[in-house]
Amino acid sequence: MSRQAYRAALLHMLDDPSRAPAGEASSYHPDGLLVVEDGHVAAFGAYADLAQGLAGGTEVIELPGRLITPGFVDAHVHYPQVDVMAAWGTQLLDWLHTHTFPAEQAFADRAHADATAAFFLDQLLANGTTSALVFCTVHKGSVDALFEAALARDMRLVAGKVLMDRAAPAGLTDTVESGRADTEALIRVWRGRGRLGYAVTLRFAVTSTDTQLAMAGEVAAAHPDVLVQTHMSENLDEIAEVARLFPDARDYLDVYDRFGLVGPRSVFAHCVHSTDDALTRLARAGASAAFCPSSNLLLGSGLFSLKQACACGMNTALGTDVGGGGSFSLLHMMGEAYKVGQLRGDNLDPLHAFYLATLAGAKALHIDDKVGNLVPGKEADFLVLDLAATPLLARRTAKAKTLAETLFVLSILADDRAVERTYLAGRLAHRRDGA
Ligand code: GUN
Ligand code: ZN
Protein backbone atom coordinates (compact mmCIF):
# COMPACT_ATOMS: atom_id res chain seq x y z
CA MET A 1 0.00 0.00 0.00
CA SER A 2 1.22 3.52 -0.75
CA ARG A 3 0.44 6.24 1.76
CA GLN A 4 1.28 9.97 1.77
CA ALA A 5 0.18 12.81 4.02
CA TYR A 6 0.05 16.50 3.12
CA ARG A 7 0.05 19.22 5.74
CA ALA A 8 -1.47 22.53 4.58
CA ALA A 9 -4.68 24.52 4.90
CA LEU A 10 -7.51 22.32 3.58
CA LEU A 11 -10.85 23.31 2.08
CA HIS A 12 -13.63 21.38 0.40
CA MET A 13 -17.39 21.66 -0.04
CA LEU A 14 -19.91 19.19 1.31
CA ASP A 15 -23.06 20.83 0.00
CA ASP A 16 -24.49 23.81 -1.88
CA PRO A 17 -23.94 26.82 0.40
CA SER A 18 -26.96 28.59 -1.07
CA ARG A 19 -29.19 25.80 0.29
CA ALA A 20 -27.41 24.12 3.20
CA PRO A 21 -27.58 25.54 6.75
CA ALA A 22 -24.80 28.05 7.42
CA GLY A 23 -21.53 26.37 8.31
CA GLU A 24 -22.54 22.90 7.08
CA ALA A 25 -21.70 23.35 3.41
CA SER A 26 -17.93 23.53 3.72
CA SER A 27 -15.10 22.10 5.76
CA TYR A 28 -11.97 24.19 6.35
CA HIS A 29 -8.87 23.40 8.39
CA PRO A 30 -6.29 26.20 8.54
CA ASP A 31 -3.70 23.64 9.68
CA GLY A 32 -4.94 20.43 8.12
CA LEU A 33 -3.76 17.01 7.12
CA LEU A 34 -4.81 15.15 3.99
CA VAL A 35 -3.92 11.47 4.04
CA VAL A 36 -3.93 9.57 0.74
CA GLU A 37 -3.77 5.79 0.46
CA ASP A 38 -3.56 4.00 -2.85
CA GLY A 39 -4.92 6.98 -4.75
CA HIS A 40 -7.88 7.55 -2.45
CA VAL A 41 -8.49 9.95 0.40
CA ALA A 42 -7.94 8.17 3.71
CA ALA A 43 -8.39 11.17 6.00
CA PHE A 44 -9.14 14.90 5.77
CA GLY A 45 -9.06 16.95 8.94
CA ALA A 46 -7.16 19.04 11.46
CA TYR A 47 -3.47 18.22 11.76
CA ALA A 48 -3.81 18.24 15.55
CA ASP A 49 -6.49 15.53 15.37
CA LEU A 50 -4.88 13.29 12.76
CA ALA A 51 -1.12 13.50 13.23
CA GLN A 52 -1.04 11.17 16.25
CA GLY A 53 -2.90 8.40 14.45
CA LEU A 54 -0.75 8.43 11.31
CA ALA A 55 0.69 5.02 10.57
CA GLY A 56 4.39 4.86 11.39
CA GLY A 57 6.68 5.62 8.48
CA THR A 58 4.13 7.78 6.62
CA GLU A 59 5.91 10.62 4.88
CA VAL A 60 4.36 13.99 5.75
CA ILE A 61 4.82 16.59 3.03
CA GLU A 62 4.85 19.98 4.71
CA LEU A 63 3.24 22.72 2.61
CA PRO A 64 3.20 25.91 4.67
CA GLY A 65 1.33 28.86 3.16
CA ARG A 66 -0.49 26.53 0.79
CA LEU A 67 -4.18 25.70 0.40
CA ILE A 68 -5.21 22.20 -0.67
CA THR A 69 -8.55 21.95 -2.47
CA PRO A 70 -10.27 19.32 -4.59
CA GLY A 71 -9.41 19.50 -8.29
CA PHE A 72 -11.62 21.82 -10.29
CA VAL A 73 -14.33 20.46 -12.59
CA ASP A 74 -14.89 22.27 -15.89
CA ALA A 75 -18.52 21.52 -16.80
CA HIS A 76 -18.25 22.78 -20.37
CA VAL A 77 -15.21 23.04 -22.63
CA HIS A 78 -14.23 22.35 -26.26
CA TYR A 79 -10.76 20.88 -26.70
CA PRO A 80 -10.60 21.58 -30.47
CA GLN A 81 -11.10 25.28 -29.84
CA VAL A 82 -7.76 26.04 -28.21
CA ASP A 83 -6.68 27.92 -31.32
CA VAL A 84 -9.78 30.11 -31.49
CA MET A 85 -9.40 31.52 -28.00
CA ALA A 86 -9.29 35.31 -28.04
CA ALA A 87 -11.01 35.74 -31.42
CA TRP A 88 -11.92 39.38 -31.90
CA GLY A 89 -15.11 41.00 -33.06
CA THR A 90 -17.88 38.42 -33.49
CA GLN A 91 -20.86 37.00 -31.64
CA LEU A 92 -21.96 33.38 -31.55
CA LEU A 93 -23.32 32.56 -35.02
CA ASP A 94 -20.68 34.57 -36.91
CA TRP A 95 -18.00 33.34 -34.53
CA LEU A 96 -18.89 29.72 -35.28
CA HIS A 97 -18.63 30.21 -39.04
CA THR A 98 -15.67 32.59 -39.08
CA HIS A 99 -13.42 31.05 -36.45
CA THR A 100 -14.67 27.81 -34.97
CA PHE A 101 -15.78 25.65 -37.86
CA PRO A 102 -12.53 26.20 -39.79
CA ALA A 103 -10.51 25.29 -36.69
CA GLU A 104 -12.59 22.15 -36.09
CA GLN A 105 -12.12 20.99 -39.69
CA ALA A 106 -8.44 20.46 -38.92
CA PHE A 107 -9.40 17.58 -36.60
CA ALA A 108 -9.96 15.30 -39.56
CA ASP A 109 -6.18 14.91 -39.18
CA ARG A 110 -5.52 12.50 -36.34
CA ALA A 111 -2.00 13.82 -35.70
CA HIS A 112 -3.41 17.32 -35.16
CA ALA A 113 -6.04 15.89 -32.82
CA ASP A 114 -3.41 13.97 -30.81
CA ALA A 115 -1.16 17.00 -30.43
CA THR A 116 -4.03 19.31 -29.46
CA ALA A 117 -5.50 16.79 -27.01
CA ALA A 118 -2.15 16.55 -25.20
CA PHE A 119 -1.77 20.33 -25.09
CA PHE A 120 -5.35 20.77 -23.90
CA LEU A 121 -5.11 18.24 -21.05
CA ASP A 122 -1.83 19.71 -19.89
CA GLN A 123 -3.48 23.15 -19.81
CA LEU A 124 -6.31 21.73 -17.69
CA LEU A 125 -3.83 20.24 -15.22
CA ALA A 126 -1.74 23.41 -15.11
CA ASN A 127 -4.89 25.28 -14.16
CA GLY A 128 -5.93 22.77 -11.53
CA THR A 129 -8.75 21.20 -13.51
CA THR A 130 -8.83 17.48 -12.89
CA SER A 131 -12.17 16.63 -14.53
CA ALA A 132 -14.10 18.11 -17.43
CA LEU A 133 -17.07 17.58 -19.70
CA VAL A 134 -15.58 18.04 -23.14
CA PHE A 135 -16.82 18.59 -26.68
CA CYS A 136 -14.66 16.98 -29.36
CA THR A 137 -15.43 17.53 -33.07
CA VAL A 138 -17.61 15.66 -35.50
CA HIS A 139 -14.64 13.39 -36.29
CA LYS A 140 -14.61 10.08 -34.45
CA GLY A 141 -10.80 10.20 -34.31
CA SER A 142 -10.96 13.45 -32.33
CA VAL A 143 -12.61 11.51 -29.49
CA ASP A 144 -10.13 8.63 -29.66
CA ALA A 145 -7.32 11.20 -29.48
CA LEU A 146 -8.71 12.88 -26.38
CA PHE A 147 -9.61 9.65 -24.57
CA GLU A 148 -6.19 8.12 -25.29
CA ALA A 149 -4.47 11.21 -23.90
CA ALA A 150 -6.77 11.27 -20.84
CA LEU A 151 -6.24 7.55 -20.23
CA ALA A 152 -2.47 8.04 -20.33
CA ARG A 153 -2.83 10.76 -17.67
CA ASP A 154 -5.44 8.79 -15.66
CA MET A 155 -7.87 11.74 -15.72
CA ARG A 156 -11.54 11.45 -14.88
CA LEU A 157 -12.99 12.93 -18.05
CA VAL A 158 -16.31 12.81 -19.89
CA ALA A 159 -16.42 13.63 -23.61
CA GLY A 160 -18.21 12.94 -26.84
CA LYS A 161 -18.24 13.22 -30.60
CA VAL A 162 -20.18 16.22 -31.90
CA LEU A 163 -23.34 15.33 -33.81
CA MET A 164 -24.08 17.84 -36.55
CA ASP A 165 -25.99 16.95 -39.71
CA ARG A 166 -26.85 20.40 -41.10
CA ALA A 167 -25.94 24.09 -41.20
CA ALA A 168 -22.19 23.47 -41.09
CA PRO A 169 -19.51 23.25 -43.79
CA ALA A 170 -18.90 20.08 -45.74
CA GLY A 171 -16.31 18.04 -43.89
CA LEU A 172 -17.84 19.02 -40.59
CA THR A 173 -21.17 17.23 -40.84
CA ASP A 174 -22.17 13.64 -40.24
CA THR A 175 -25.46 11.92 -41.05
CA VAL A 176 -28.03 10.40 -38.78
CA GLU A 177 -26.66 6.93 -39.47
CA SER A 178 -22.94 7.75 -39.34
CA GLY A 179 -23.52 9.80 -36.19
CA ARG A 180 -25.30 6.87 -34.58
CA ALA A 181 -22.69 4.33 -35.68
CA ASP A 182 -19.75 6.48 -34.52
CA THR A 183 -21.39 7.28 -31.19
CA GLU A 184 -22.28 3.63 -30.53
CA ALA A 185 -18.76 2.51 -31.49
CA LEU A 186 -17.14 5.10 -29.21
CA ILE A 187 -19.34 4.10 -26.29
CA ARG A 188 -18.48 0.45 -26.90
CA VAL A 189 -14.74 1.08 -27.06
CA TRP A 190 -14.35 3.64 -24.28
CA ARG A 191 -17.02 2.89 -21.68
CA GLY A 192 -15.49 1.75 -18.43
CA ARG A 193 -11.88 2.32 -19.46
CA GLY A 194 -9.75 4.09 -16.91
CA ARG A 195 -11.71 7.00 -15.46
CA LEU A 196 -13.48 7.93 -18.68
CA GLY A 197 -17.13 8.51 -19.45
CA TYR A 198 -19.07 9.21 -22.62
CA ALA A 199 -21.50 12.04 -23.40
CA VAL A 200 -23.89 12.02 -26.35
CA THR A 201 -22.90 15.41 -27.76
CA LEU A 202 -25.24 17.51 -29.87
CA ARG A 203 -23.72 20.82 -30.92
CA PHE A 204 -27.10 22.60 -30.67
CA ALA A 205 -30.56 22.48 -32.18
CA VAL A 206 -29.49 24.63 -35.13
CA THR A 207 -27.07 22.00 -36.48
CA SER A 208 -29.14 18.83 -36.04
CA THR A 209 -32.24 17.74 -37.93
CA ASP A 210 -35.24 16.34 -36.10
CA THR A 211 -34.13 12.86 -37.15
CA GLN A 212 -30.68 13.32 -35.65
CA LEU A 213 -32.09 14.77 -32.44
CA ALA A 214 -34.38 11.73 -32.19
CA MET A 215 -31.44 9.40 -32.83
CA ALA A 216 -29.43 11.08 -30.06
CA GLY A 217 -32.34 10.60 -27.66
CA GLU A 218 -32.53 6.90 -28.60
CA VAL A 219 -28.80 6.35 -28.09
CA ALA A 220 -28.89 8.12 -24.71
CA ALA A 221 -31.88 6.01 -23.64
CA ALA A 222 -30.11 2.81 -24.71
CA HIS A 223 -27.08 3.66 -22.53
CA PRO A 224 -28.27 4.95 -19.18
CA ASP A 225 -24.68 5.49 -17.97
CA VAL A 226 -23.84 8.13 -20.60
CA LEU A 227 -24.43 11.87 -20.27
CA VAL A 228 -26.03 14.21 -22.80
CA GLN A 229 -24.40 17.58 -23.47
CA THR A 230 -25.40 20.45 -25.71
CA HIS A 231 -25.80 24.25 -25.87
CA MET A 232 -29.00 26.13 -25.14
CA SER A 233 -30.30 29.70 -25.02
CA GLU A 234 -26.90 31.32 -25.27
CA ASN A 235 -27.48 34.11 -27.77
CA LEU A 236 -30.58 35.98 -28.95
CA ASP A 237 -29.97 35.37 -32.68
CA GLU A 238 -29.43 31.66 -31.96
CA ILE A 239 -32.72 31.52 -30.04
CA ALA A 240 -34.56 33.23 -32.93
CA GLU A 241 -33.07 30.72 -35.36
CA VAL A 242 -34.18 27.79 -33.21
CA ALA A 243 -37.69 29.27 -33.03
CA ARG A 244 -37.69 29.56 -36.85
CA LEU A 245 -36.45 25.97 -37.31
CA PHE A 246 -38.83 24.44 -34.76
CA PRO A 247 -42.02 26.50 -35.03
CA ASP A 248 -44.06 23.93 -33.12
CA ALA A 249 -41.79 23.85 -30.08
CA ARG A 250 -42.99 25.64 -26.96
CA ASP A 251 -39.49 27.03 -26.42
CA TYR A 252 -35.81 26.08 -26.94
CA LEU A 253 -35.86 23.55 -24.10
CA ASP A 254 -38.90 21.87 -25.61
CA VAL A 255 -36.90 21.09 -28.77
CA TYR A 256 -34.59 18.91 -26.69
CA ASP A 257 -37.34 17.65 -24.41
CA ARG A 258 -39.52 16.27 -27.18
CA PHE A 259 -36.60 14.07 -28.30
CA GLY A 260 -35.93 12.64 -24.83
CA LEU A 261 -32.76 14.67 -24.28
CA VAL A 262 -33.67 16.32 -20.98
CA GLY A 263 -32.96 14.20 -17.92
CA PRO A 264 -30.77 13.97 -14.83
CA ARG A 265 -27.70 13.19 -16.92
CA SER A 266 -28.11 16.18 -19.27
CA VAL A 267 -25.87 19.25 -19.08
CA PHE A 268 -26.95 22.39 -20.92
CA ALA A 269 -24.28 24.97 -21.56
CA HIS A 270 -25.22 28.64 -21.09
CA CYS A 271 -29.03 28.93 -20.45
CA VAL A 272 -28.39 32.69 -20.39
CA HIS A 273 -31.78 33.69 -21.74
CA SER A 274 -33.86 30.90 -20.20
CA THR A 275 -37.19 31.75 -18.57
CA ASP A 276 -38.17 30.74 -15.03
CA ASP A 277 -40.47 28.22 -16.62
CA ALA A 278 -37.65 26.57 -18.62
CA LEU A 279 -35.25 26.60 -15.65
CA THR A 280 -37.90 25.05 -13.41
CA ARG A 281 -38.56 22.31 -15.97
CA LEU A 282 -34.80 21.67 -16.17
CA ALA A 283 -34.57 21.49 -12.39
CA ARG A 284 -37.51 19.08 -12.18
CA ALA A 285 -35.82 16.87 -14.76
CA GLY A 286 -32.68 16.91 -12.59
CA ALA A 287 -30.61 18.42 -15.43
CA SER A 288 -27.68 20.78 -14.87
CA ALA A 289 -26.61 24.06 -16.41
CA ALA A 290 -23.03 25.06 -17.15
CA PHE A 291 -22.57 28.77 -16.44
CA CYS A 292 -19.78 30.04 -18.72
CA PRO A 293 -19.21 33.65 -17.66
CA SER A 294 -16.01 34.33 -19.59
CA SER A 295 -17.50 33.10 -22.86
CA ASN A 296 -20.79 34.90 -22.25
CA LEU A 297 -18.90 38.18 -21.80
CA LEU A 298 -16.43 37.71 -24.66
CA LEU A 299 -19.07 36.63 -27.17
CA GLY A 300 -21.48 39.28 -25.88
CA SER A 301 -24.08 36.59 -25.20
CA GLY A 302 -25.59 38.00 -22.02
CA LEU A 303 -25.61 37.85 -18.24
CA PHE A 304 -26.63 34.49 -16.74
CA SER A 305 -28.61 34.86 -13.54
CA LEU A 306 -27.28 32.43 -10.97
CA LYS A 307 -29.83 33.79 -8.53
CA GLN A 308 -32.65 32.87 -10.91
CA ALA A 309 -31.17 29.41 -11.56
CA CYS A 310 -30.83 28.78 -7.80
CA ALA A 311 -34.38 30.02 -7.16
CA CYS A 312 -35.62 27.55 -9.78
CA GLY A 313 -33.69 24.78 -8.01
CA MET A 314 -31.32 23.97 -10.85
CA ASN A 315 -27.88 22.49 -10.28
CA THR A 316 -25.47 24.96 -11.85
CA ALA A 317 -21.77 24.37 -12.42
CA LEU A 318 -19.03 26.46 -14.03
CA GLY A 319 -17.59 26.05 -17.50
CA THR A 320 -14.73 27.79 -19.22
CA ASP A 321 -16.27 27.18 -22.66
CA VAL A 322 -12.82 27.42 -24.22
CA GLY A 323 -12.54 28.64 -27.03
CA GLY A 324 -15.52 31.01 -26.48
CA GLY A 325 -14.07 31.56 -23.01
CA GLY A 326 -10.80 33.37 -22.53
CA SER A 327 -9.13 31.18 -19.91
CA PHE A 328 -8.73 27.58 -18.74
CA SER A 329 -8.76 28.69 -15.12
CA LEU A 330 -11.76 27.85 -12.95
CA LEU A 331 -10.36 30.34 -10.42
CA HIS A 332 -10.72 32.96 -13.13
CA MET A 333 -14.25 31.69 -13.90
CA MET A 334 -15.17 32.22 -10.23
CA GLY A 335 -14.05 35.84 -10.62
CA GLU A 336 -15.89 36.27 -13.93
CA ALA A 337 -19.04 34.81 -12.39
CA TYR A 338 -18.77 37.37 -9.61
CA LYS A 339 -18.46 40.20 -12.17
CA VAL A 340 -21.54 38.96 -14.05
CA GLY A 341 -23.37 38.97 -10.71
CA GLN A 342 -22.24 42.55 -10.08
CA LEU A 343 -23.77 43.63 -13.39
CA ARG A 344 -27.05 42.04 -12.27
CA GLY A 345 -26.98 43.42 -8.73
CA ASP A 346 -26.19 40.02 -7.15
CA ASN A 347 -23.12 39.40 -5.02
CA LEU A 348 -21.78 35.90 -5.54
CA ASP A 349 -20.45 34.53 -2.27
CA PRO A 350 -16.86 33.25 -2.71
CA LEU A 351 -17.67 29.88 -1.13
CA HIS A 352 -20.62 29.49 -3.46
CA ALA A 353 -18.33 30.25 -6.40
CA PHE A 354 -15.89 27.62 -5.11
CA TYR A 355 -18.78 25.13 -4.83
CA LEU A 356 -19.70 25.81 -8.47
CA ALA A 357 -16.12 25.08 -9.52
CA THR A 358 -15.84 21.80 -7.59
CA LEU A 359 -18.73 19.77 -6.16
CA ALA A 360 -21.46 21.26 -8.39
CA GLY A 361 -19.43 20.32 -11.46
CA ALA A 362 -18.93 16.80 -10.15
CA LYS A 363 -22.68 16.52 -9.59
CA ALA A 364 -23.41 17.76 -13.12
CA LEU A 365 -21.07 15.07 -14.50
CA HIS A 366 -22.46 12.41 -12.12
CA ILE A 367 -19.02 11.73 -10.73
CA ASP A 368 -19.64 13.23 -7.28
CA ASP A 369 -19.50 9.77 -5.71
CA LYS A 370 -15.83 9.71 -6.80
CA VAL A 371 -14.51 13.29 -6.91
CA GLY A 372 -15.65 16.88 -6.24
CA ASN A 373 -14.47 16.96 -2.64
CA LEU A 374 -11.98 15.15 -0.42
CA VAL A 375 -14.28 13.06 1.73
CA PRO A 376 -12.49 9.82 2.76
CA GLY A 377 -12.97 7.08 0.18
CA LYS A 378 -13.04 9.45 -2.79
CA GLU A 379 -10.34 9.54 -5.45
CA ALA A 380 -7.51 11.86 -4.43
CA ASP A 381 -7.76 14.48 -7.20
CA PHE A 382 -6.52 17.65 -5.55
CA LEU A 383 -4.48 20.83 -5.90
CA VAL A 384 -1.92 22.69 -3.94
CA LEU A 385 -2.58 26.42 -4.30
CA ASP A 386 0.27 28.79 -3.52
CA LEU A 387 -1.23 31.85 -1.85
CA ALA A 388 2.02 33.75 -2.44
CA ALA A 389 2.55 32.72 -6.06
CA THR A 390 3.16 36.30 -7.17
CA PRO A 391 4.27 39.36 -5.20
CA LEU A 392 0.79 40.85 -5.56
CA LEU A 393 -0.96 37.65 -4.41
CA ALA A 394 1.42 37.34 -1.46
CA ARG A 395 0.75 40.92 -0.41
CA ARG A 396 -3.02 40.75 -0.86
CA THR A 397 -3.67 37.29 0.64
CA ALA A 398 -1.58 38.25 3.67
CA LYS A 399 -4.13 41.02 4.32
CA ALA A 400 -7.16 38.71 3.95
CA LYS A 401 -8.95 38.28 7.26
CA THR A 402 -11.29 35.42 6.37
CA LEU A 403 -11.31 32.31 4.21
CA ALA A 404 -13.99 33.93 2.02
CA GLU A 405 -11.76 36.94 1.45
CA THR A 406 -8.79 34.72 0.55
CA LEU A 407 -10.91 32.80 -1.94
CA PHE A 408 -12.23 36.01 -3.45
CA VAL A 409 -8.72 37.43 -3.81
CA LEU A 410 -7.67 34.21 -5.58
CA SER A 411 -10.66 34.43 -7.92
CA ILE A 412 -9.75 37.96 -8.95
CA LEU A 413 -5.95 37.96 -8.84
CA ALA A 414 -4.80 34.37 -9.34
CA ASP A 415 -4.11 32.36 -12.47
CA ASP A 416 -2.21 29.17 -13.27
CA ARG A 417 0.82 30.50 -11.40
CA ALA A 418 -1.10 29.87 -8.17
CA VAL A 419 -1.52 26.18 -9.03
CA GLU A 420 1.69 24.78 -7.62
CA ARG A 421 0.79 21.10 -7.94
CA THR A 422 -2.06 19.06 -9.34
CA TYR A 423 -2.60 15.46 -8.23
CA LEU A 424 -4.65 12.82 -10.04
CA ALA A 425 -5.67 9.81 -7.93
CA GLY A 426 -2.88 10.66 -5.52
CA ARG A 427 -0.21 10.92 -8.23
CA LEU A 428 1.58 14.19 -8.98
CA ALA A 429 0.38 15.10 -12.48
CA HIS A 430 1.53 18.71 -12.74
CA ARG A 431 4.13 20.77 -10.97
CA ARG A 432 4.49 24.48 -11.67
CA ASP A 433 7.85 25.50 -13.05
CA GLY A 434 10.19 26.41 -10.27
CA ALA A 435 7.94 24.99 -7.52
N1 GUN B 1 -23.23 26.85 -29.74
C1 GUN B 1 -23.07 25.92 -30.69
N2 GUN B 1 -21.76 25.59 -30.82
C2 GUN B 1 -21.11 26.33 -29.93
C3 GUN B 1 -19.72 26.43 -29.59
O1 GUN B 1 -18.84 25.77 -30.14
N3 GUN B 1 -19.42 27.32 -28.61
C4 GUN B 1 -20.37 28.06 -27.99
N4 GUN B 1 -20.01 28.91 -27.02
N5 GUN B 1 -21.65 27.98 -28.29
C5 GUN B 1 -22.02 27.13 -29.26
ZN1 ZN C 1 -19.58 25.61 -25.80
Side-chain angles (χ1 to χ4, degrees):
M1 175 186 293
S2 85
R3 184 187 302 107
Q4 299 81 32
Y6 303 85
R7 183 181 185 181
L10 305 182
L11 171 68
H12 68 177
M13 302 304 294
L14 298 166
D15 206 343
D16 180 346
S18 68
R19 286 184 219 169
E24 288 182 19
S26 60
S27 174
Y28 176 60
H29 299 283
D31 180 12
L33 194 70
L34 175 71
V35 185
V36 176
E37 275 176 13
D38 287 341
H40 289 77
V41 177
F44 174 104
Y47 179 82
D49 295 340
L50 296 173
Q52 294 295 330
L54 257 190
T58 307
E59 183 195 6
V60 179
I61 298 163
E62 301 274 347
L63 296 162
R66 310 296 196 272
L67 173 66
I68 287 182
T69 73
F72 293 123
V73 180
D74 188 340
H76 181 71
V77 61
H78 301 250
Y79 99 83
Q81 296 181 10
V82 173
D83 297 323
V84 298
M85 289 176 82
W88 182 87
T90 48
Q91 295 207 353
L92 179 64
L93 299 178
D94 284 349
W95 175 82
L96 283 173
H97 286 276
T98 310
H99 301 289
T100 303
F101 289 162
E104 293 195 6
Q105 274 170 310
F107 285 74
D109 173 8
R110 179 61 199 265
H112 178 69
D114 285 331
T116 309
F119 180 85
F120 168 81
L121 293 181
D122 290 341
Q123 284 295 306
L124 294 192
L125 294 172
N127 282 280
T129 299
T130 50
S131 286
L133 177 56
V134 189
F135 271 60
C136 302
T137 65
V138 74
H139 313 97
K140 183 163 167 276
S142 74
V143 186
D144 291 322
L146 183 70
F147 277 152
E148 280 179 22
L151 192 63
R153 288 163 181 75
D154 197 23
M155 280 181 86
R156 187 161 282 293
L157 206 82
V158 185
K161 181 205 109 73
V162 168
L163 295 164
M164 188 155 56
D165 69 344
R166 68 167 170 195
L172 216 51
T173 50
D174 52 11
T175 64
V176 174
E177 281 323 312
S178 74
R180 184 198 296 272
D182 286 351
T183 301
E184 291 279 7
L186 286 163
I187 293 171
R188 225 173 14 252
V189 169
W190 288 106
R191 143 184 300 148
R193 287 182 70 184
R195 303 168 78 200
L196 305 175
Y198 195 83
V200 172
T201 301
L202 288 154
R203 173 153 237 126
F204 62 163
V206 174
T207 45
S208 286
T209 58
D210 285 38
T211 330
Q212 190 172 62
L213 289 161
M215 177 276 284
E218 287 162 20
V219 174
H223 303 285
D225 55 317
V226 307
L227 300 193
V228 171
Q229 61 173 341
T230 189
H231 297 90
M232 185 168 68
S233 299
E234 175 178 4
N235 165 287
L236 295 176
D237 291 339
E238 168 215 11
I239 293 168
E241 180 62 2
V242 171
R244 189 184 72 75
L245 291 167
F246 299 91
D248 299 336
R250 169 176 162 189
D251 57 13
Y252 201 153
L253 176 60
D254 188 42
V255 174
Y256 294 132
D257 209 5
R258 55 179 57 196
F259 294 110
L261 293 160
V262 183
R265 301 182 77 86
S266 307
V267 181
F268 294 91
H270 304 295
C271 306
V272 171
H273 303 284
S274 295
T275 59
D276 280 357
D277 176 55
L279 293 176
T280 304
R281 280 149 57 212
L282 279 171
R284 286 209 185 110
S288 296
F291 172 22
C292 306
S294 172
S295 167
N296 294 160
L297 294 168
L298 265 166
L299 293 179
S301 301
L303 305 174
F304 177 83
S305 174
L306 182 63
K307 196 171 164 189
Q308 179 196 12
C310 286
C312 294
M314 189 172 53
N315 181 50
T316 304
L318 272 179
T320 60
D321 195 24
V322 161
S327 167
F328 280 100
S329 169
L330 266 293
L331 284 173
H332 185 66
M333 293 309 125
M334 289 163 54
E336 296 294 89
Y338 174 82
K339 294 174 203 168
V340 169
Q342 280 286 60
L343 289 166
R344 302 192 61 100
D346 306 329
N347 287 328
L348 173 57
D349 176 76
L351 273 165
H352 191 188
F354 180 69
Y355 170 75
L356 298 180
T358 55
L359 188 56
K363 284 181 190 288
L365 274 62
H366 285 257
I367 53 175
D368 54 310
D369 56 331
K370 301 185 176 67
V371 296
N373 60 22
L374 298 169
V375 166
K378 289 209 185 177
E379 296 165 354
D381 285 0
F382 64 97
L383 323 178
V384 177
L385 290 169
D386 176 1
L387 303 183
T390 66
L392 175 60
L393 261 185
R395 183 176 173 125
R396 185 60 187 87
T397 56
K399 292 270 190 308
K401 293 187 186 63
T402 61
L403 168 66
E405 191 180 349
T406 301
L407 275 181
F408 186 62
V409 168
L410 285 169
S411 78
I412 300 300
L413 299 180
D415 54 31
D416 53 351
R417 289 170 293 178
V419 179
E420 188 173 286
R421 301 178 188 192
T422 305
Y423 288 84
L424 293 174
R427 189 182 49 80
L428 183 63
H430 167 78
R431 189 166 188 156
R432 191 189 66 201
D433 286 350

